[in-house]
Amino acid sequence: MAADNIFFDLKELAHLGRGAIVGKTVRIRKPARCRIGDFSILDDFTYVSCGITVGRYTHVGANGVLIGGDAHITIGDFVNIAPGCRLIAASNDFSGGGLVGPTIPAEFAAASITADVSIGDHVLFGTNTVVLPGTQVPEGVSTGALTLLTPKLKLEPWTLYAGAPARPIRVRERAEILDTARRLLEQAR
């Protein structure tokens, strides 16, 4: 049973899956654009300002930030996003003219960079990983703490990355992870 939330009524979510938990202090600006899958958790102090789709058995750690205005962030099944990660689907373009920020009227605002973010199944993000607008993270990718993922990177499935910008470190074990997930899903039926 999901606990009450101090910022919005959980019934406002587009979907809250069976056994899913949204922490009492999670702030979701647009709950009608948010779908949270079965047995997933959004930990306290997470902030969401865009549409999100969260798969099954996925965890977003405390102090996570998922922002993007009108953009959307899709997160797969069996994903673990450590505390402090930033998934950014919209940002100001700091290289141009104009003013920036949500208080600026549109006619005075600089251009923005807006592009959906997609996180595949079985992805693991280390603490304070940052994902920029338009980044597509394939199945099985994992990152070390403080990793920067950009849309220009060609990320390979089932690979551990670290650094800013991210560099491949080694290949991850695939077969055992997929087999374990399959067994869990069969048991949950």
Side-chain angles (χ1 to χ4, degrees):
M1 179 89 177
D4 290 335
N5 185 283
I6 65 172
F7 293 111
F8 67 97
D9 186 337
L10 293 175
K11 293 176 186 153
E12 295 176 30
L13 292 168
H15 176 75
L16 181 62
R18 179 171 53 114
I21 298 170
V22 175
K24 190 171 188 161
T25 59
V26 170
R27 178 70 166 115
I28 298 179
R29 290 263 183 204
K30 302 169 186 175
R33 293 186 55 212
C34 297
R35 305 182 63 78
I36 301 167
D38 295 346
F39 307 107
S40 288
I41 300 171
L42 271 64
D43 264 341
D44 281 318
F45 307 107
T46 294
Y47 177 78
V48 180
S49 72
C50 61
I52 61 169
T53 300
V54 177
R56 300 168 295 170
Y57 295 96
T58 288
H59 176 241
V60 177
N63 295 309
V65 174
L66 292 80
I67 60 173
D70 292 331
H72 196 86
I73 297 172
T74 301
I75 303 169
D77 297 336
F78 300 103
V79 173
N80 190 52
I81 299 172
C85 290
R86 308 291 187 250
L87 281 61
I88 303 166
S91 176
N92 292 107
D93 181 351
F94 299 106
S95 66
L99 302 173
V100 299
T103 62
I104 304 302
E107 65 267 21
F108 300 102
S112 64
I113 301 165
T114 302
D116 292 348
V117 169
S118 178
I119 310 299
D121 296 340
H122 305 287
V123 168
L124 306 174
F125 286 156
T127 298
N128 293 318
T129 290
V130 175
V131 179
L132 295 182
T135 302
Q136 308 295 305
V137 181
E139 178 181 73
V141 163
S142 66
T143 65
L146 302 170
T147 297
L148 174 63
L149 300 178
T150 72
K152 293 181 181 179
L153 295 171
K154 172 69 173 115
L155 299 172
E156 295 295 328
W158 297 100
T159 302
L160 167 64
Y161 290 88
R167 310 175 307 285
I169 304 298
R170 68 178 181 89
V171 174
R172 291 183 65 211
E173 170 58 42
R174 178 180 184 267
E176 184 178 351
I177 293 169
L178 291 176
D179 183 59
T180 302
R182 179 191 54 77
R183 289 186 288 119
L184 172 61
L185 291 174
E186 286 174 359
Q187 178 182 330
R189 286 185 187 170

